[in-house]
Amino acid sequence: MKKAKQYTGMFLAAAGIAAAVSCSGIKNTALRAQLEKSNCNQQNVYTYTVADMPRPIHEIIIDTALLSKFSFKSLNMAHAIGVLDDLGRYADAQKKYRMQPSAESRLHLLELSQKIANRINISSLEVSAVSSEMDCEEERASQIANYLSGKQDALESKLTVGAIVVGATGAISTGALLNSGNSGDYIGVGTGVAEATLGLLILLNKSGTEFHHKRNALKEIWKGQATSSIFPPSVWYYLNYKNPAQQGAGSLRELLIEKWISFGQVAHNPSKKQLKKTQLYFGNGGKYSAGQLNNRADMYDQLESNINLMKQDLKGLFTELEQLHY
């Protein structure tokens, strides 16, 4: 009986060690640094007021000459980056040049065209800068998620092997002690407890880690305030503009949130449990699981894609400008 109890104690001790291993956290120094602080932002903090934001284009009067030469998307983009007035001056200068061509008026046209093109290029760089930060944050979350998943998979493999070894050892020991009174029964009970413990550990193998993000672009998208400290005015205007002429069509920001809700990434009217999850994504950080980090990375990827759409409209504006002839 003493020997049987020793076997049982050995099995339970093995299960206890596995449990302790399953609760271990991330000790890698480089990864710990990524958990505490992000290096994705290179001091791009925007401070502007509502007065600095472009007014919605449907609230201003646009020169009819521009309406005949440029699409609404291009005009809205020109308004977002602050060159709508320059486009108007360009249209007037072009008209005067056609009526009375001269080297001076041609030079004036070239200067206006260059000024608008420069602003388009600068805006494109702004979009790239913001997009690169979103991509960096996505990779940051994804990298930690992959690390956690790798640890979980490795531990699950060890626990599975442990369960197989315990089961096999228990079966052999029970058979060997079949004629030794109740010893085989003790071994069977100990083996069963150890296997059940290892199986439970496999099911509960969902370790997490603290992940912090004081600078949180997802939070600004979710709240949708009048200004942003992460997005420049042109990008923030682009993401928030909603054309009243298109019934039922929301802004890119609203459509993005709608997708998050529709695909179950966040909850719109969350329960207490879901509210905690929502606060995790749109707060300053907290304890994330690998799945939650992957979800956060996906949300950043979707945000980055929407920001990059602005480059299509910038290209459209530049193309329409180039197509105008003197």
Side-chain angles (χ1 to χ4, degrees):
M1 181 179 293
K2 184 177 180 181
K3 189 174 182 180
K5 288 182 178 179
Q6 288 176 343
Y7 276 119
T8 304
M10 178 184 68
F11 294 141
L12 293 176
I17 292 172
V21 172
S22 68
C23 296
S24 62
I26 294 178
K27 295 181 173 61
N28 185 296
T29 304
L31 288 176
R32 291 296 307 176
Q34 288 196 50
L35 297 174
E36 298 294 334
K37 186 179 179 181
S38 169
N39 63 352
C40 295
N41 172 42
Q42 302 300 321
Q43 306 302 320
N44 290 320
V45 179
Y46 297 94
T47 54
Y48 53 91
T49 65
V50 176
D52 298 321
M53 287 287 295
R55 288 173 56 197
I57 193 171
H58 58 266
E59 295 181 3
I60 63 176
I61 299 174
I62 302 175
D63 190 342
T64 53
L66 291 180
L67 292 172
S68 63
K69 297 177 184 296
F70 294 92
S71 65
F72 177 80
K73 272 191 172 184
S74 293
L75 290 175
N76 194 31
M77 182 51 57
H79 181 52
I81 66 176
V83 295
L84 188 59
D85 290 340
D86 289 323
L87 279 183
R89 285 189 282 270
Y90 183 85
D92 289 340
Q94 186 184 58
K95 183 178 179 180
K96 291 178 181 178
Y97 176 77
R98 285 176 176 172
M99 293 175 61
Q100 192 173 2
S102 67
E104 183 179 351
S105 58
R106 181 179 176 82
L107 180 60
H108 182 52
L109 271 175
L110 289 173
E111 288 175 347
L112 286 171
S113 177
Q114 188 62 47
K115 182 180 179 181
I116 296 170
N118 286 342
R119 184 56 199 157
I120 291 174
N121 289 332
I122 292 172
S123 298
S124 181
L125 289 175
E126 283 183 340
V127 172
S128 296
V130 174
S131 178
S132 66
E133 181 180 349
M134 302 303 106
D135 183 60
C136 179
E137 288 291 351
E138 176 198 346
E139 292 299 324
R140 177 182 173 229
S142 182
Q143 187 176 38
I144 300 299
N146 290 337
Y147 179 81
L148 283 179
S149 296
K151 284 190 65 179
Q152 290 172 10
D153 291 343
L155 179 58
E156 185 173 332
S157 297
K158 292 177 182 178
L159 292 173
T160 302
V161 171
I164 294 172
V165 171
V166 167
T169 304
I172 294 171
S173 300
T174 301
L177 298 174
L178 191 61
N179 298 320
S180 301
N182 294 328
S183 297
D185 295 336
Y186 286 118
I187 292 293
V189 171
T191 301
V193 171
E195 285 183 307
T197 302
L198 291 171
L200 183 62
L201 287 173
I202 292 174
L203 291 175
L204 298 178
N205 181 26
K206 303 294 181 184
S207 60
T209 186
E210 291 289 328
F211 187 79
H212 300 282
H213 38 72
K214 290 183 179 180
R215 181 178 168 92
N216 192 349
L218 299 182
K219 174 183 176 181
E220 300 214 349
I221 293 295
W222 182 256
K223 289 193 171 183
Q225 296 180 340
T227 61
S228 168
S229 62
I230 296 177
F231 303 99
S234 59
V235 176
W236 196 234
Y237 171 85
Y238 179 77
L239 291 174
N240 284 278
Y241 179 73
K242 181 164 52 177
N243 188 354
Q246 298 177 349
Q247 295 294 330
S251 66
L252 286 176
R253 185 188 66 81
E254 291 171 340
L255 293 175
L256 182 59
I257 292 175
E258 187 178 314
K259 289 178 182 178
W260 289 347
I261 295 171
S262 298
F263 287 99
Q265 292 176 277
V266 294
H268 183 54
N269 295 310
S271 61
K272 187 175 181 180
K273 181 179 179 180
Q274 289 294 328
L275 179 61
K276 186 176 180 181
K277 181 180 176 182
T278 302
Q279 290 173 341
L280 179 67
Y281 290 130
F282 305 123
N284 293 328
K287 189 168 185 178
Y288 278 84
S289 66
Q292 289 171 333
L293 283 170
N294 276 322
N295 187 38
R296 181 176 181 82
D298 288 341
M299 292 165 73
Y300 262 108
D301 182 53
Q302 293 153 14
L303 174 56
E304 179 192 355
S305 298
N306 277 269
I307 292 170
N308 281 330
L309 288 175
M310 188 173 174
K311 284 199 170 185
Q312 294 185 12
D313 289 352
L314 285 170
K315 180 180 179 296
L317 172 60
F318 185 80
T319 300
E320 290 179 19
L321 181 66
E322 287 290 299
Q323 287 175 347
L324 293 179
H325 300 290
Y326 302 147

